[in-house]
């Protein structure tokens, strides 16, 4: 469900970024399960939560029909509130039944929720207890997707950050040439089709065997240790990055691979870390860039000159704003982000038009006022805000679609633009 929370501390903008600390209107981190469970094929996500949590997951994932879904909810009933011992015993019994029925599960995530936090159910201890009981046949991990702690993309960050300490240590690699990296890990759940495209491009550039976190199977998660470099594919992975660095990996600073420019910059940054020049990247990507640029030109007629307002929701806002303004000619009224990671977004911030209005955090009523005053052509926001704004006559785009759809890389650049063009196209058709 949408978590609305009041943290009434208005903070002044000292560096041009408006900081908002008011009521939030966002999905919780449980939402990430909808794309994570499709990615790690032998994992299972067991939400330890209420019927509301189960309902959120079912409706968010409702478009997909699985005979045996890879997620479920262990319902904490009111009677569990009476005693933690009961809740722990109940959880153990649910896990026993699940693993007996689904022996193919190799990785089990216990996902915390608002109710499990309220009753202070210690899922880290539960994971330890269950790991001991199942003797390595299945790895039990835990993270929180609670709306008290996470917005919807932070659920993926929490999940991957929980995975990092479990990654195998890197075997001693042969020494790389001075100054060059020895191996590359791409971090962030990508649809398989996008992962395959990036693998081909990175290999063609000369990076022999890029690996991905998360991997498609629990048993093939990438190794980590001192030496390898990692490249973020998503801008919302601050905790995961910290966990990787604690194990010795180093981040490659890069823009994010959205649109032609972002994808090229991302590949160039990876190549440079391996001592490979931009000329190689330019040669390898020439055809894909040309194709994507031509496909983008077809979307540009809907978007050029149009004014867009981003509510803070997914942490994808800044890279998307850069893409929409620089490659499609959109005008940015305000770009809101739930959290601004200055280091990870440095390359993106440098590419934004000078003077772009940025806001960090949320104070939904004040943002709604600004949005209404500006009357943008398109508003990117969460589901909870989209309906009322549409009723007022504003065209909206649900930010959640941007994480459910394949949007990274050259092949998807025009599809990404089309996600923004469609609401405008539809309005024009209705008005005609
Ligand atoms: Fe609602 Fe919290 Fe459950 Fe998310 S974790 S669905 S915000 S109760």
């Amino acid at each position: 469900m949408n978590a609305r929370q009041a943290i009434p501390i208005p903070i002044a903008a000292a560096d041009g970024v408006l900081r908002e600390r008011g009521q939030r209107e966002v999905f919780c981190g449980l939402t990430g399960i909808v794309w994570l469970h499709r990615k790690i094929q032998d994992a299972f996500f067991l939400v330890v939560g209420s019927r509301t949590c189960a309902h959120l997951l079912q409706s968010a994932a409702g478009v997909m029909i699985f005979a045996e879904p890879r997620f479920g909810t262990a319902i904490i009933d009111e009677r569990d509130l009476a005693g933690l011992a009961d809740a722990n015993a109940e959880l153990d019994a649910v896990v026993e039944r699940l693993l007996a029925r689904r022996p193919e599960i190799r990785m089990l995530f216990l996902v915390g929720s608002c109710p499990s936090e309220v009753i202070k159910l210690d899922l880290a201890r539960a994971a330890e207890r269950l790991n001991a009981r199942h003797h390595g046949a299945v790895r039990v991990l835990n993270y929180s997707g609670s709306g008290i702690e996470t917005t919807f993309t932070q659920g993926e960050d929490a999940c991957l950050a929980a995975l990092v300490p479990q990654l195998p240590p890197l075997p001693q690699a042969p020494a790389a040439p001075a100054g060059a990296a020895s191996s590359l890990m791409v971090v962030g759940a990508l649809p398989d089709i996008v992962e395959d495209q990036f693998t081909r491009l990175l290999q063609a550039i000369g990076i022999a065997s890029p690996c991905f976190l998360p991997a498609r199977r629990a048993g093939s998660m990438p190794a980590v240790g001192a030496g390898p470099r990692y490249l973020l594919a998503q801008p919302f992975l601050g905790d995961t990055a910290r966990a990787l660095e604690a194990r010795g990996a180093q981040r490659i600073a890069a823009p994010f691979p959205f649109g032609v420019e972002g994808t090229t910059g991302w590949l160039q940054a990876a190549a440079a870390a391996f001592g490979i020049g931009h000329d190689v990247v330019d040669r390898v990507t020439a055809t894909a860039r040309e194709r994507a640029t031509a496909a983008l030109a077809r979307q540009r007629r809907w978007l050029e000159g149009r004014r867009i307002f981003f509510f803070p929701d997914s942490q994808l806002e800044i890279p998307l704003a850069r893409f929409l303004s620089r490659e499609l000619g959109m005008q940015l009224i305000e770009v809101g982000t739930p959290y601004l990671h200055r280091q990870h977004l440095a390359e993106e911030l440098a590419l934004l038009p000078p003077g772009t209005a940025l806001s960090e955090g949320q104070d939904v009523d004040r943002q709604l006022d600004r949005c209404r005053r500006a009357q943008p052509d398109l508003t990117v926001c969460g589901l909870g805000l989209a309906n009322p704004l549409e009723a007022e006559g504003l065209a909206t785009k649900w930010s959640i679609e941007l994480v459910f759809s394949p949007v990274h890389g050259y092949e998807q650049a025009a599809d990404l633009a089309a996600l923004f063009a469609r609401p405008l196209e539809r309005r024009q058709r209705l008005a005609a």
Side-chain angles (χ1 to χ4, degrees):
M1 72 181 188
N2 280 338
R4 288 183 75 113
Q5 306 169 351
I7 316 168
I9 315 167
I11 296 176
D15 53 359
V17 178
L18 178 62
R19 300 229 153 57
E20 300 274 41
R21 297 289 183 272
Q23 183 155 286
R24 298 193 301 164
E25 176 79 39
V26 287
F27 274 114
C28 67
L30 295 188
T31 324
I33 294 172
V34 176
W35 61 92
L36 287 165
H37 86 103
R38 282 186 282 177
K39 185 70 208 171
I40 315 173
Q41 291 160 15
D42 51 2
F44 194 96
F45 293 82
L46 184 66
V47 175
V48 186
S50 64
R51 287 183 206 287
T52 310
C53 309
H55 184 71
L56 168 94
L57 266 182
Q58 271 157 16
S59 47
V63 280
M64 289 167 289
I65 297 165
F66 276 95
E68 280 280 30
R70 290 192 288 263
F71 59 85
T73 311
I75 304 285
I76 303 174
D77 276 320
E78 264 143 46
R79 70 187 164 85
D80 293 329
L81 300 175
L84 270 177
D86 289 351
N88 277 314
E90 180 66 21
L91 176 61
D92 289 5
V94 169
V95 169
E96 286 302 329
R97 285 199 297 274
L98 173 70
L99 295 179
R101 191 163 52 81
R102 303 282 295 274
E104 77 282 6
I105 295 171
R106 290 285 163 273
M107 187 169 265
L108 174 65
F109 289 98
L110 305 177
V111 188
S113 66
C114 305
S116 67
E117 271 170 30
V118 168
I119 67 166
K120 303 210 181 318
L121 191 57
D122 188 341
L123 293 183
R125 289 200 46 197
E128 246 171 60
R129 190 170 68 234
L130 289 160
N131 270 325
R133 188 171 304 172
H134 293 280
H135 302 301
V138 56
R139 166 85 66 186
V140 186
L141 301 170
N142 75 288
Y143 72 90
S144 172
S146 140
I148 300 168
E149 291 184 5
T150 55
T151 59
F152 77 99
T153 50
Q154 280 176 302
E156 174 175 333
D157 190 23
C159 171
L160 299 190
L163 254 176
V164 170
Q166 310 295 327
L167 297 178
L170 198 73
Q172 211 56 39
S182 56
S183 63
L184 177 70
M185 183 195 292
V186 177
V187 183
L190 294 168
D192 291 352
I193 175 178
V194 176
E195 192 179 303
D196 291 342
Q197 287 164 5
F198 281 156
T199 302
R200 281 196 295 275
L201 280 170
L202 290 164
Q203 287 178 336
I205 287 166
I207 300 172
S209 34
C211 54
F212 290 81
L213 180 71
R216 297 180 197 187
R217 303 201 77 83
S220 43
M221 292 294 165
V224 69
R229 303 293 297 270
Y230 73 93
L231 186 60
L232 294 176
Q234 299 284 21
F236 46 75
L237 297 173
D239 287 351
T240 309
R242 245 190 318 276
L244 283 166
E245 277 160 29
R247 292 200 58 187
Q250 290 171 51
R251 184 176 66 92
I252 299 171
F256 290 90
F258 300 109
V260 175
E261 186 182 37
T263 306
T264 306
W266 189 76
L267 292 169
Q268 282 173 340
F274 284 73
I276 301 164
H278 286 189
D279 53 321
V280 179
V281 178
D282 289 348
R283 198 173 59 244
V284 166
T285 59
T287 318
R289 274 186 291 129
E290 224 169 88
R291 210 171 30 229
T293 306
L296 280 178
R298 289 192 284 278
Q299 301 297 335
R300 196 177 169 106
R301 66 197 165 106
W302 294 106
L303 299 170
E304 190 162 24
R306 299 301 194 95
R307 299 160 69 245
I308 188 165
F309 189 108
F310 283 90
F311 277 84
D313 210 35
S314 63
Q315 289 190 51
L316 294 169
E317 293 86 359
I318 288 174
L320 293 177
R322 179 264 303 157
F323 164 64
L324 292 167
S325 71
R326 292 173 64 95
E327 295 190 50
L328 293 145
M330 290 195 89
Q331 289 178 27
L332 309 174
I333 301 176
E334 177 171 330
V335 184
T337 180
Y339 175 64
L340 177 58
H341 198 304
R342 291 201 161 271
Q343 236 181 337
H344 290 181
L345 285 160
E347 287 66 25
E348 294 287 349
L349 291 169
L351 290 170
L352 282 178
T356 300
L358 296 176
S359 66
E360 182 189 16
Q362 188 157 39
D363 187 329
V364 72
D365 293 326
R366 287 167 37 157
Q367 274 158 339
L368 278 168
D369 286 346
R370 291 200 296 277
C371 179
R372 286 180 179 126
R373 268 200 306 275
Q375 288 291 305
D377 295 303
L378 188 61
T379 302
V380 183
C381 58
L383 290 173
L385 294 181
N387 283 345
L389 288 175
E390 287 275 344
E392 292 173 27
L394 293 178
T396 60
K397 169 85 251 150
W398 296 348
S399 47
I400 204 158
E401 260 187 81
L402 302 160
V403 280
F404 284 173
S405 320
V407 292
H408 294 73
Y410 296 121
E411 305 298 325
Q412 281 67 238
D415 296 345
L416 177 56
L419 287 175
F420 294 93
R422 221 168 285 140
L424 298 174
E425 217 180 314
R426 195 172 49 231
R427 285 198 158 232
Q428 191 141 323
R429 266 206 317 272
L430 288 173

